[in-house]
Amino acid sequence: MNLCVLASGWGSNLSSIIHSGKTGKISSDIVLVISNNSASNALNIARENQIPAVHLSIKQFGLEDEYVRKFLELLRTYKVDMIILAGYLKMIPQQIVRNYKNKILNIHPALIPSFCGKGLYGLKVHEAVLNYGAKVTGVTIHLVDEEYDTGPIVLQKTVPVNDDDTPETLQKRVLTVEHEIYPEAIKLFETKKFNITGRKVFFT
Ligand code: GRF
């Protein structure tokens, strides 16, 4: 599959997916990286790995339609089969979600449906987990629909919460698991067929 990774920040999930490609854990190619943030380290990581890297933000366009048209044009030009959101903080335009139905994955650093939704991203997720007193948290990979963090779940893995955790220590433990299971989820789409019944995703 040809993958387009969308990222806004540091890009450690992008790095782990690139690494998985190099070590043969996945067979897809990352053909394009897009960031809404020109200062995102993900763009540097892409360039260091000779992957086309594009800064694309709605702020660069007068009209939303022009932004969406450019977005779709990029995806078509690079023959993108699947879109991988890796710390992408913007909503995906509705038309793109519809054109890539069940072909967009997102990673969330908690066990959906807990500690998710608009405004819960980055350290805020881990702060919320600790403030609530949860004993476990985890990672969720899900398909993207037209809302925040509501699409059908593909993979989940739990991570223990320790009594002395800070948001930062918890984030670090969760990130290690993110780097492990995002490539696993991509591999599932490479090697298996899937069907969706209600909210349930089955791989056969
Ligand atoms: C990760 O925790 C991811 O789950 C969340 O944003 C963070 C991105 O980290 N959506 P990175 O940019 O991949 O290092």
Side-chain angles (χ1 to χ4, degrees), residues 125-145:
V125 177
H126 308 294
E127 276 162 13
V129 168
L130 292 175
N131 288 340
Y132 200 85
K135 301 294 185 192
V136 289
T137 182
V139 179
T140 303
I141 314 278
H142 66 93
L143 289 161
V144 171
D145 61 12

Side-chain angles (χ1 to χ4, degrees), residues 78-186:
Y78 287 90
K79 299 185 169 44
V80 170
D81 300 306
M82 202 154 191
I83 300 172
I84 307 295
L85 309 188
Y88 190 66
L89 297 179
K90 294 285 167 196
M91 196 84 174
I92 304 297
Q94 198 181 58
Q95 205 185 327
I96 293 181
V97 176
R98 290 183 182 170
N99 279 28
Y100 283 79
K101 191 168 161 54
N102 296 331
K103 291 179 177 168
I104 310 178
L105 290 179
N106 183 41
I107 187 161
H108 184 72
L111 295 174
I112 289 176
S114 293
F115 309 111
C116 63
K118 195 167 168 26
L120 275 176
Y121 60 88
L123 270 183
K124 290 179 189 184
V125 177
H126 308 294
E127 276 162 13
V129 168
L130 292 175
N131 288 340
Y132 200 85
K135 301 294 185 192
V136 289
T137 182
V139 179
T140 303
I141 314 278
H142 66 93
L143 289 161
V144 171
D145 61 12
E146 292 174 27
E147 307 290 329
Y148 278 103
D149 299 336
T150 53
I153 292 171
V154 170
L155 265 186
Q156 285 188 306
K157 191 160 180 182
T158 57
V159 174
V161 176
N162 296 341
D163 287 348
D164 59 354
D165 264 333
T166 62
E168 289 80 8
T169 60
L170 187 56
Q171 181 180 51
K172 202 168 160 210
R173 193 174 316 115
V174 170
L175 254 186
T176 310
V177 175
E178 292 185 40
H179 298 161
E180 198 182 295
I181 75 165
Y182 220 166
E184 281 174 21
I186 294 168

